[in-house]
Amino acid sequence: MSATEHLLYTEDESELRSGIRDLLTERVTLAALLARIETNEPYDPKLWRVLTEQIGAAGLAVDETHGGSGASWRETAVVMEELGRSVAPTPFLGSAVLATAALRAVHAGALLADLAGGRRSASLAVSFASVPGARLRYPVRADGDTLTGTVTSVVDAGAADVLVVAAEAAGGPVLYAVEADQPGVERRPVVSLDLTRPLTDIVFTGAIGTALARGEQAEAACATALTTGAALLASEQLGIAEYCLESTVAYMKTRHQFGRPVGSFQGPKHRLAALWVSIAQVRAVARYAAACVAADDPDTAVAVAVAQAHCSEIAVRAAEECVQLHGGIGFTWEHHPHLYLKRAKADALAFGTPDRHRAILARLVDLPA
Amino acid sequence: MSATEHLLYTEDESELRSGIRDLLTERVTLAALLARIETNEPYDPKLWRVLTEQIGAAGLAVDETHGGSGASWRETAVVMEELGRSVAPTPFLGSAVLATAALRAVHAGALLADLAGGRRSASLAVSFASVPGARLRYPVRADGDTLTGTVTSVVDAGAADVLVVAAEAAGGPVLYAVEADQPGVERRPVVSLDLTRPLTDIVFTGAIGTALARGEQAEAACATALTTGAALLASEQLGIAEYCLESTVAYMKTRHQFGRPVGSFQGPKHRLAALWVSIAQVRAVARYAAACVAADDPDTAVAVAVAQAHCSEIAVRAAEECVQLHGGIGFTWEHHPHLYLKRAKADALAFGTPDRHRAILARLVDLPA
Amino acid sequence: MLTANELDDRVGEFITAHRDTDDALGYLRARFDAGLAWVHYPVGLGGLGAPRALQPAVDARFTAAGAPSNDPGRIGIGLGMAAPTVLAYGTEEQRERWLRPLWTGEEVWCQLFSEPGAGSDLAALGTRAIRDGDEWVVDGQKVWTSMAHEARWAILVTRTHPELPKHRGMTYFVCDMTAPGVEVRPLRQATGEAEFNEVFLTGVRIPDAHRLGEVGDGWSVARTTLMNERVAIGGGAAPREGGMIGIVADTWRERPELRTAGLHDRLLRLWVEAEAARLTSARLRLQLAAGEPGPEGSAAKLAFARLNQDISGLELDLLAEEGLRHDEWTMRRPASVDFTTRSPGYRYLRAKGNSIEGGTSEILLNVVAERVLGLPAEPRVDKDAAWKDLPR
Amino acid sequence: MLTANELDDRVGEFITAHRDTDDALGYLRARFDAGLAWVHYPVGLGGLGAPRALQPAVDARFTAAGAPSNDPGRIGIGLGMAAPTVLAYGTEEQRERWLRPLWTGEEVWCQLFSEPGAGSDLAALGTRAIRDGDEWVVDGQKVWTSMAHEARWAILVTRTHPELPKHRGMTYFVCDMTAPGVEVRPLRQATGEAEFNEVFLTGVRIPDAHRLGEVGDGWSVARTTLMNERVAIGGGAAPREGGMIGIVADTWRERPELRTAGLHDRLLRLWVEAEAARLTSARLRLQLAAGEPGPEGSAAKLAFARLNQDISGLELDLLAEEGLRHDEWTMRRPASVDFTTRSPGYRYLRAKGNSIEGGTSEILLNVVAERVLGLPAEPRVDKDAAWKDLPR
């Protein structure tokens, strides 16, 4: 069955969505979000607990023998959509997507089970700007199982218990699990453009790691993790774009100027309708990317490049329209649009900008420069 | 005095414009144009006579000793604007710009005077798609003064009395004046995308030419002609864009749908206003390019690349909006929009597409790939 | 209700039984009479009352068997617009008279809706129909009528009550295109061809028996027609690079000498957009198959128009000098639009029509904004006034 | 009238005469009293009744001489908006009281126009002013007020006649920002900073002597203010690569490792657009100098907003990982906007304000469409109804 047969949402997915949306609507109010993002604890630990322990969101792509629910990345993508809609600060991307994808690839069962059950969280120690499909760089060197080097701009690493680190060793790359709370690991918080998703620089100075895989397998695990992250980020971008459109439409129905709801003016109307058309495309493209990674489809590389090239641009446009069409209040700290703009723009930079994905696509579909 | 001081129109230029506009309004009605463009004589000889002999439009950039009026390319650009506004089929670009620029550069006084006075017309035998600033190609070879080779897609050559031909000879390039009406010259009409501007393939089979210049001087004359043509084409594009906007605005004031003039709907209104903003920029950019070639300013290459990159896109957009916002009738043969669309798109291909000019600009302003 | 398997059996039996027929028309008539024309139509009217979703498999099987075709491209307006309306609003006699020859292709239909003064605002139309005993006398001008020069019948909306508000004073007819007073003139378009016609109606007499729906109820009937037009557009299955993007991608691959860096990124952008549009159509088809017809059909038409325009514009830029040269401007009467056989200039020009024909992009954006997003309507100045008093 | 040469002589004499002054304020007061503050103002009010076009040369000469500056960045609202309005509508006493300390910078001005419910539709404002003898009592809330926290005076538009149509029931005042009942709160924006304020007016008493223009004529007075705002924007002379494009062009040149092919064409497109905008501004300045003030000022603001947004978006894409990292989100109170000293993320976010502040791009497009192109206005539902009955 081709991945194009999986573009709709199943009933299970709709139920999953509805549960998560209820939770996020309750826990991630704008006021709570604004209060939290400038503190040292941007994540809401209670939200994360409910999400992982009660809903099992972190184990959707993990099979049942490892404590997951044996669903797939497609269901995980639905979670990403909802997290995007609410710009909720959670370590889901780092732990339940990036680290989980890497650990799945190397069959690291016990750690995988910990992540799936929400008992621990992890992150993959790569720059958030790493481009899937591009050559991997290894800023960390391994000497025996002792790691040294600096990885910058790592997503969701600040609160992680475990860091999954690909390091260059004498015999080629090795993938390690590294306990984050040890003397050889220093985590330096980064002031990030997206306040709802903190980044961290990690300095390894003789940290001790546990080798999970070596050589091609280690490399492939990293590549898979990046590809999966990029594929699922498209779903987050879908959620961002949808919420930006919906909240703008809602605002324009009630905001009056010149004695009319501003949403009755054809200028913004046409722009929002065109945006809706684009978002319908984002949905199809993001679903396709999720279906491809879920099935390890041969078309995955194309699907992900298309998704990242397309969804990044539309999510940013949606957020920019959200700011602009909210007028003055769209530019204030107290209203939501700026949070979505920052998330959307950061997501566009994450896992490679659209132009970098188009360049990758050029090779994949034989359209050389 | 810098070329940026010449961005406005002088009083003389306004007078010149008004005379030409009166003439074109009278001679180039839509009905007359449609009747003419599918015949073998797309040019209106009477229009050309009045334009050259009475108004002296072909001699504006020619000094008085050679029968011109000793004005400059800036005044010539005003003629181009008006010709663009009316999509009038005349050999002005080929004869009064391209050939004249080349002849000026090699001081070919007698022929120049013939062109300036409208007694004869000429064209420069290069493809209309030649890119100024790119390396010149010489498809014609000279053996002694005997020319052999084929030049495709030459503008305004069908009715020309003289062809100005750059040919590759043993000692380097040579610029020739070639009588068009001789056995060794065969002119094959091309079905052109822009019906109001016919193109011709010219096959030289032992045609006899009169050498005008050799070597670097010949090459420089060709380069200057192309640069001047590209610079002045921006003014034609300005005229096209202006007329497309004005005629669309006029239509939308009178066309009623849903009980209102369609021009009262904000959707098209905002698009037309944004177009007006862009056209104000086209005006500045085109004037600057004309001022630069008129003064042989050191900034000419940049000015022309900017003009062709910018004006081509806006003129095409203006014509596309003209078609779209005229609705159904904008798509009919009997109404004017398609004529402007074809001219605008052909002009965008002429003398290099915008992307090719941006690539040239990259070198000129030190923004390498 | 019939299952897919039962239906498949019936098709198989029909094909076997008519294997040796040489008479194409006879074959089509028999297929209609067997209820295998459009299986979701009622029994006796070419169908079996089966789910609409079963039709594609039926068509595919007939095609595979090399059965005679009713040439749906030629009779698209009949199939897509006239038939559903006749089915929904026609009397028993009308359905029996018109549907069979419509489906078999014996009688071509066209649509007399748009007028020079009533395009996007169709409800403003002014073609007058005045009752005269058992007949109506029709005077007016219609435009953008494809196939009018080959059509036997037309669906026609007229103004019968100018003194009422515009949506309430219209009546819908089937017009005999061979009747006296019907004059068809080709309407030449920017490409030089004439796909469409202007139709002048001068004292055309239409029997009241050819009225569809109630007197004054023409707007409702017309909306049924137009709803079916929307469904018909934009849902086609396409492989990757199946549309216009494939043409320019092939040129790119085959002619490296044309490539420039600036065009490369633009080509890739359009390639991505084309792929996004393709996946969106694929998703729309799944939705339709799952019985969730979404408003994505309008979205598909909007995206398709813009894509065709952008891609054909890029193609000319890529070809540069060749783009300046056209194939021909001859006035022709093509039966359908084929983007693949003509020159790039033709594609560029013809694509401009994609955002005008069948509802302008502006109108579709309004539809999306108001019906999908629920944004408030513009203040209406033309809703309650008598049609005759409206500015035009 | 004064010639440029005569004026230049006077400036030279003034500079020579005050060469040894240490007292900056005294210097500025003397310059005002000599009519060399704004030479097109009347004699006695800081000017000499000279052509406005002569001012730039005067300013340039004072700058070259190292004369004390009145810091026009800080008192821009006073200079650009309050002063022309006081000049146009003020009484003799009002002009004499306010213009001198305004120009010298002793008194900062701010503008109390926009309200939460009246942004683009300024004429919908609802801040009430009720007459009480020789005073007015003002209650309401204003927003987007830059410099309110430093201002001594404000220009203020109020609603005095709610029962009249909205454009006819407003009155314009000068408000003492130190008066009881004026509360200024910082308004934090997307960048984390607060350039602007909310201003709450609670029972603020304004003497009738501080009214500008007639009672009920506030809209006309406000239009004078706003017209001067429009003129003030967008006309600045800039060298090539002078704006934000220069920052990203330099990054491109200095950091080849960041370059990608796709960003190259986008950079060049924006470079061309920036150059086009620059030449357009140059042309606008020539027009203004030639006394042909065109509507290109609105065009310049529209183009500038879009350019800044597109260029700063490109800069982040170019920087990729570095773009994900920000400098700081500290709440500050900057006196002016400086696009050059902060991080690329700041530029990106701050540029979003360019299409909102000082008239949204949508409103400017309306202005261009209606006043320049002469396209018909929307049907207005709010023109003749009493202000109090309008939906909001």
Side-chain angles (χ1 to χ4, degrees):
Chain A
M1 195 157 165
S2 150
T4 51
E5 302 303 308
H6 286 295
L7 300 177
L8 300 183
Y9 298 105
T10 64
E11 269 178 47
D12 284 354
E13 285 170 337
S14 299
E15 250 174 61
L16 174 67
R17 176 197 305 288
S18 136
I20 291 175
R21 188 173 299 184
D22 288 349
L23 171 66
L24 294 172
T25 306
E26 190 203 319
R27 295 291 311 171
V28 194
T29 61
L30 179 60
L33 198 54
L34 287 171
R36 193 171 276 287
I37 53 176
E38 287 185 280
T39 69
N40 289 330
E41 194 179 46
Y43 300 136
D44 172 356
K46 179 163 175 214
L47 171 65
W48 182 241
R49 244 183 346 263
V50 179
L51 208 54
T52 53
E53 293 172 17
Q54 290 180 23
I55 298 184
L60 287 166
V62 177
D63 59 30
E64 293 176 25
T65 58
H66 293 109
S69 60
S72 79
W73 292 123
R74 278 187 282 119
E75 290 77 6
T76 315
V78 171
V79 180
M80 289 289 286
E81 284 185 32
E82 292 304 309
L83 292 173
R85 273 186 79 88
S86 64
V87 292
T90 72
F92 190 85
L93 177 60
S95 191
V97 180
L98 289 173
T100 296
L103 295 173
R104 253 180 55 145
V106 299
H107 311 291
L111 187 47
L112 203 51
D114 280 349
L115 299 193
R119 289 182 295 282
R120 309 192 77 191
S121 81
S123 188
L124 183 70
V126 295
S127 161
F128 196 27
S130 306
V131 187
R135 208 165 54 83
L136 288 168
R137 297 186 316 111
Y138 301 98
V140 178
R141 298 199 58 81
D143 182 9
D145 288 339
T146 304
L147 308 183
T148 307
T150 301
V151 190
T152 53
S153 310
V154 179
V155 70
D156 294 336
D161 302 302
V162 181
L163 301 168
V164 181
V165 186
E168 186 78 56
V174 182
L175 194 69
Y176 289 97
V178 179
E179 291 295 318
D181 193 12
Q182 59 168 297
V185 175
E186 187 197 346
R187 288 181 281 183
R188 299 181 183 156
V190 170
V191 179
S192 59
L193 179 65
D194 173 12
L195 273 166
T196 67
R197 177 168 276 154
L199 301 178
T200 306
D201 291 346
I202 312 176
V203 184
F204 298 96
T205 47
I208 307 302
T210 309
L212 300 171
R214 293 175 190 280
E216 276 181 24
Q217 203 200 356
E219 192 154 65
C222 267
T224 296
L226 284 177
T227 298
T228 307
L232 267 61
L233 195 69
S235 288
E236 174 170 307
Q237 290 167 322
L238 169 60
I240 293 167
E242 282 180 344
Y243 187 77
C244 286
L245 176 61
E246 286 169 27
S247 65
T248 305
V249 165
Y251 177 73
M252 299 196 77
K253 285 180 187 172
T254 54
R255 168 83 173 172
H256 281 69
Q257 294 278 273
F258 306 102
R260 291 165 53 177
V262 291
S264 71
F265 287 98
Q266 208 184 53
K269 229 164 158 164
H270 279 186
R271 275 155 57 184
L272 290 171
L275 181 58
W276 180 85
V277 171
S278 296
I279 292 176
Q281 296 186 333
V282 166
R283 193 172 297 115
V285 163
R287 290 309 289 163
Y288 184 64
C292 281
V293 290
D296 200 8
D297 193 283
D299 202 33
T300 298
V302 171
V304 170
V306 167
Q308 277 300 298
H310 193 69
C311 303
S312 294
E313 301 218 328
I314 307 304
V316 168
R317 189 175 115 215
E320 289 179 340
E321 286 288 32
C322 182
V323 169
Q324 178 68 21
L325 293 175
H326 274 79
I329 69 160
F331 193 58
T332 61
W333 190 266
E334 287 77 19
H335 290 82
H336 71 276
H338 75 103
L339 295 172
Y340 286 82
L341 179 65
K342 292 164 185 171
R343 173 68 73 91
K345 190 68 191 179
D347 279 2
L349 304 179
F351 300 134
T353 50
D355 63 288
R356 292 174 177 90
H357 281 283
R358 286 193 293 271
I360 288 170
L361 195 61
R363 294 197 298 271
L364 294 172
V365 301
D366 182 29
L367 290 171
Chain B
M1 197 156 164
S2 151
T4 48
E5 303 301 309
H6 286 295
L7 300 176
L8 301 182
Y9 299 104
T10 63
E11 269 179 46
D12 284 354
E13 285 170 338
S14 300
E15 249 174 64
L16 172 67
R17 175 196 306 289
S18 135
I20 291 176
R21 189 173 299 183
D22 288 349
L23 170 66
L24 293 171
T25 306
E26 189 203 317
R27 295 292 310 172
V28 194
T29 63
L30 179 60
L33 198 53
L34 287 170
R36 191 171 278 284
I37 54 175
E38 287 184 281
T39 68
N40 290 330
E41 194 178 46
Y43 301 136
D44 173 355
K46 178 160 175 216
L47 170 65
W48 183 242
R49 243 182 347 263
V50 179
L51 207 53
T52 52
E53 294 172 15
Q54 289 179 24
I55 297 184
L60 288 166
V62 176
D63 59 30
E64 292 175 27
T65 58
H66 295 109
S69 59
S72 80
W73 292 122
R74 279 188 281 120
E75 289 77 7
T76 315
V78 171
V79 180
M80 288 290 286
E81 284 184 32
E82 292 304 310
L83 292 172
R85 274 187 78 90
S86 64
V87 292
T90 71
F92 190 84
L93 176 61
S95 191
V97 181
L98 290 173
T100 296
L103 295 173
R104 255 180 53 145
V106 300
H107 311 291
L111 188 45
L112 203 51
D114 280 349
L115 301 192
R119 290 182 295 282
R120 311 191 76 192
S121 81
S123 187
L124 183 70
V126 294
S127 160
F128 196 25
S130 306
V131 186
R135 210 164 53 82
L136 287 167
R137 297 185 318 110
Y138 300 99
V140 178
R141 297 201 58 81
D143 183 10
D145 289 337
T146 304
L147 307 183
T148 308
T150 301
V151 189
T152 53
S153 309
V154 180
V155 69
D156 295 335
D161 302 303
V162 180
L163 301 168
V164 180
V165 186
E168 186 76 55
V174 182
L175 193 70
Y176 290 96
V178 178
E179 291 296 317
D181 192 16
Q182 58 168 298
V185 175
E186 187 197 348
R187 286 180 283 182
R188 298 180 182 156
V190 170
V191 179
S192 58
L193 179 65
D194 174 11
L195 274 166
T196 66
R197 176 170 276 154
L199 301 178
T200 306
D201 292 346
I202 313 175
V203 184
F204 297 96
T205 47
I208 305 303
T210 309
L212 301 170
R214 294 174 190 280
E216 277 179 25
Q217 201 199 0
E219 194 153 63
C222 267
T224 297
L226 284 176
T227 298
T228 307
L232 267 60
L233 196 68
S235 289
E236 174 170 307
Q237 291 168 322
L238 169 60
I240 292 167
E242 281 180 344
Y243 187 78
C244 286
L245 176 61
E246 285 170 28
S247 65
T248 305
V249 165
Y251 177 72
M252 298 195 78
K253 285 179 187 175
T254 55
R255 168 83 174 173
H256 281 68
Q257 294 280 272
F258 306 103
R260 291 165 53 178
V262 292
S264 72
F265 287 99
Q266 209 184 53
K269 228 164 158 164
H270 279 186
R271 277 157 54 185
L272 291 171
L275 180 59
W276 179 85
V277 171
S278 297
I279 293 176
Q281 295 186 334
V282 166
R283 193 172 300 114
V285 163
R287 290 308 289 163
Y288 183 64
C292 279
V293 290
D296 200 9
D297 193 284
D299 202 34
T300 298
V302 171
V304 170
V306 166
Q308 278 298 299
H310 192 69
C311 303
S312 293
E313 301 216 329
I314 306 303
V316 168
R317 189 174 117 216
E320 289 178 341
E321 287 288 35
C322 181
V323 169
Q324 178 67 21
L325 293 175
H326 275 79
I329 69 160
F331 194 58
T332 61
W333 190 266
E334 287 77 19
H335 290 80
H336 72 275
H338 74 103
L339 296 172
Y340 286 81
L341 178 65
K342 292 163 185 171
R343 173 68 73 91
K345 190 68 191 180
D347 279 1
L349 304 179
F351 301 133
T353 50
D355 64 287
R356 292 175 178 90
H357 281 283
R358 286 193 294 271
I360 289 170
L361 195 60
R363 293 197 298 272
L364 294 172
V365 301
D366 183 28
L367 291 170
Chain C
M1 207 187 267
L2 216 59
T3 68
N5 283 343
E6 288 164 1
L7 183 59
D8 194 50
D9 289 346
R10 283 211 205 183
V11 174
E13 285 159 24
F14 183 95
I15 289 173
T16 310
H18 294 77
R19 189 173 355 192
D20 302 322
T21 312
D22 279 342
D23 170 15
L25 180 57
Y27 190 100
L28 290 168
R29 284 175 175 167
R31 180 176 158 188
F32 185 93
D33 296 336
L36 300 172
W38 32 35
V39 296
H40 54 296
Y41 271 51
V43 173
L45 293 172
L48 296 165
R52 187 178 184 143
L54 299 181
Q55 184 66 35
V58 173
D59 289 337
R61 186 131 189 225
F62 275 106
T63 304
S69 161
N70 59 355
D71 195 358
R74 184 166 159 270
I75 60 171
I77 293 164
L79 292 174
M81 304 178 79
T85 313
V86 169
L87 183 67
Y89 284 93
T91 62
E92 204 50 47
E93 294 73 26
Q94 289 174 331
R95 292 154 147 208
E96 285 184 5
R97 164 66 188 85
W98 283 320
L99 290 177
R100 190 170 182 256
L102 181 160
W103 187 86
T104 60
E106 286 163 85
E107 292 179 348
V108 173
W109 288 63
C110 69
Q111 177 204 18
L112 296 174
F113 279 27
S114 291
E115 299 181 4
S120 295
D121 182 14
L122 180 61
L125 60 83
T127 290
R128 283 285 275 133
I130 297 174
R131 185 148 198 161
D132 181 22
D134 278 353
E135 294 185 323
W136 297 78
V137 182
V138 180
D139 286 274
Q141 184 191 347
K142 297 286 183 176
V143 76
W144 301 113
T145 316
S146 44
M147 300 303 283
H149 55 296
E150 301 194 18
R152 173 69 171 80
W153 299 102
I155 44 179
L156 166 69
V157 199
T158 65
R159 172 88 31 211
T160 44
H161 302 82
E163 70 289 357
L164 290 181
K166 63 185 197 179
H167 292 94
R168 283 163 36 207
M170 287 178 274
T171 301
Y172 195 114
F173 295 98
V174 170
C175 175
D176 183 344
M177 291 297 285
T178 65
V182 176
E183 189 199 345
V184 177
R185 292 186 205 160
L187 181 59
R188 199 175 178 197
Q189 65 213 44
T191 57
E193 303 179 336
E195 293 165 39
F196 303 99
N197 301 279
E198 295 180 289
V199 178
F200 295 82
L201 303 167
T202 314
V204 177
R205 302 192 78 88
I206 299 181
D208 188 54
H210 288 183
R211 174 167 46 77
L212 279 181
E214 297 305 311
V215 173
D217 201 27
W219 184 241
S220 309
V221 187
R223 294 228 305 184
T224 300
T225 308
L226 294 172
M227 233 145 56
N228 279 283
E229 180 182 31
R230 294 274 146 76
V231 170
I233 286 169
R240 181 170 286 167
E241 289 194 13
M244 222 186 247
I245 192 72
I247 301 174
V248 65
D250 286 344
T251 304
W252 184 272
R253 290 181 187 114
E254 289 157 18
R255 304 193 47 197
E257 79 282 6
L258 295 175
R259 298 175 195 161
T260 78
L263 294 177
H264 191 224
D265 194 57
R266 206 168 129 211
L267 172 66
L268 291 169
R269 278 177 187 273
L270 290 172
W271 197 96
V272 168
E273 282 183 39
E275 176 67 4
R278 187 184 77 86
L279 291 169
T280 309
S281 288
R283 189 164 191 275
L284 176 60
R285 280 198 309 285
L286 292 176
Q287 268 180 305
L288 290 173
E292 314 165 25
E296 278 89 350
S298 296
K301 179 175 182 301
L302 279 162
F304 160 82
R306 210 169 52 76
L307 260 178
N308 275 357
Q309 292 171 358
D310 288 353
I311 295 170
S312 58
L314 169 67
E315 189 185 8
L316 285 177
D317 288 350
L318 177 62
L319 292 169
E321 182 183 327
E322 287 166 57
L324 287 166
R325 302 165 74 102
H326 195 58
D327 52 0
E328 55 167 340
W329 294 111
T330 318
M331 156 77 181
R332 291 179 187 281
R333 309 249 30 199
S336 62
V337 180
D338 183 350
F339 276 124
T340 61
T341 54
R342 292 280 309 271
S343 73
Y346 171 84
R347 283 191 278 283
Y348 176 73
L349 295 169
R350 183 60 187 81
K352 297 296 174 226
N354 292 158
S355 52
I356 298 172
E357 61 200 332
T360 65
S361 289
E362 288 77 16
I363 290 293
L364 291 182
L365 288 171
N366 281 348
V367 168
V368 169
E370 293 178 15
R371 296 200 208 146
V372 182
L373 299 179
L375 285 166
E378 298 266 332
R380 286 295 287 262
V381 296
D382 63 331
K383 269 234 150 119
D384 302 318
W387 174 83
K388 65 184 172 55
D389 298 329
L390 291 175
R392 58 180 67 88
Chain D
M1 206 187 271
L2 216 61
T3 68
N5 283 344
E6 288 163 0
L7 183 59
D8 194 51
D9 289 346
R10 283 211 206 185
V11 174
E13 284 160 24
F14 182 95
I15 289 173
T16 309
H18 295 76
R19 190 176 349 191
D20 302 321
T21 312
D22 279 342
D23 170 16
L25 179 57
Y27 190 100
L28 290 167
R29 284 177 174 166
R31 180 176 159 189
F32 185 92
D33 296 335
L36 299 173
W38 31 35
V39 297
H40 53 297
Y41 271 50
V43 173
L45 294 172
L48 295 166
R52 187 179 184 141
L54 298 183
Q55 184 66 34
V58 173
D59 290 335
R61 188 130 188 228
F62 275 105
T63 304
S69 161
N70 59 355
D71 194 359
R74 182 165 161 270
I75 60 172
I77 294 165
L79 292 175
M81 306 178 78
T85 313
V86 169
L87 182 68
Y89 283 93
T91 62
E92 203 52 46
E93 293 74 26
Q94 290 174 330
R95 293 154 148 206
E96 286 184 4
R97 163 64 188 85
W98 284 319
L99 289 177
R100 192 169 181 255
L102 182 161
W103 187 85
T104 59
E106 285 162 84
E107 293 180 348
V108 173
W109 287 63
C110 70
Q111 177 204 19
L112 296 174
F113 279 28
S114 291
E115 298 181 4
S120 293
D121 182 14
L122 179 62
L125 59 85
T127 291
R128 282 285 274 134
I130 297 175
R131 185 147 197 163
D132 181 22
D134 277 353
E135 293 185 323
W136 296 79
V137 181
V138 180
D139 287 273
Q141 182 191 349
K142 297 287 182 174
V143 76
W144 301 115
T145 316
S146 45
M147 299 302 283
H149 54 300
E150 301 194 21
R152 174 68 172 82
W153 298 102
I155 44 179
L156 166 69
V157 199
T158 67
R159 172 96 21 219
T160 42
H161 300 83
E163 70 289 356
L164 290 181
K166 62 184 196 177
H167 291 94
R168 282 164 35 207
M170 285 178 274
T171 301
Y172 195 113
F173 295 98
V174 170
C175 175
D176 182 345
M177 291 296 286
T178 65
V182 176
E183 189 200 345
V184 177
R185 293 186 204 159
L187 181 59
R188 199 175 178 197
Q189 65 213 43
T191 56
E193 302 178 335
E195 294 166 40
F196 304 99
N197 300 278
E198 296 179 289
V199 177
F200 295 83
L201 304 167
T202 314
V204 177
R205 302 191 79 87
I206 299 181
D208 189 55
H210 289 182
R211 173 167 47 76
L212 279 183
E214 296 304 312
V215 173
D217 202 26
W219 184 241
S220 308
V221 187
R223 296 229 304 184
T224 300
T225 307
L226 293 172
M227 233 146 57
N228 279 283
E229 180 182 30
R230 294 275 146 76
V231 169
I233 286 170
R240 181 170 285 166
E241 290 196 12
M244 222 186 248
I245 192 71
I247 300 175
V248 65
D250 285 344
T251 304
W252 183 272
R253 290 182 187 115
E254 289 158 17
R255 304 194 47 195
E257 79 281 5
L258 295 175
R259 297 176 194 160
T260 79
L263 294 178
H264 191 223
D265 195 56
R266 207 169 128 213
L267 172 67
L268 291 169
R269 278 178 187 272
L270 291 172
W271 197 96
V272 167
E273 282 183 41
E275 176 67 4
R278 186 184 77 85
L279 290 169
T280 309
S281 288
R283 189 165 190 275
L284 175 60
R285 279 198 311 285
L286 292 176
Q287 268 181 305
L288 291 173
E292 313 165 24
E296 279 89 351
S298 296
K301 179 174 182 300
L302 279 162
F304 160 82
R306 210 169 55 74
L307 260 179
N308 274 358
Q309 292 172 357
D310 289 353
I311 295 170
S312 57
L314 168 67
E315 189 186 5
L316 285 177
D317 289 350
L318 176 62
L319 291 170
E321 183 184 327
E322 286 166 58
L324 288 166
R325 303 164 74 101
H326 195 57
D327 51 2
E328 55 167 340
W329 295 112
T330 318
M331 156 77 182
R332 290 178 188 280
R333 310 248 30 198
S336 63
V337 180
D338 182 351
F339 276 125
T340 60
T341 55
R342 293 281 309 271
S343 74
Y346 171 83
R347 282 190 277 282
Y348 177 72
L349 295 169
R350 184 59 188 81
K352 298 297 174 224
N354 293 157
S355 53
I356 297 173
E357 60 200 333
T360 66
S361 289
E362 288 76 16
I363 290 293
L364 291 183
L365 288 170
N366 281 348
V367 167
V368 169
E370 294 178 15
R371 297 201 208 145
V372 181
L373 300 179
L375 285 165
E378 299 266 331
R380 284 296 286 262
V381 296
D382 64 331
K383 269 233 151 123
D384 303 319
W387 174 84
K388 66 184 171 57
D389 298 330
L390 291 175
R392 57 179 69 89

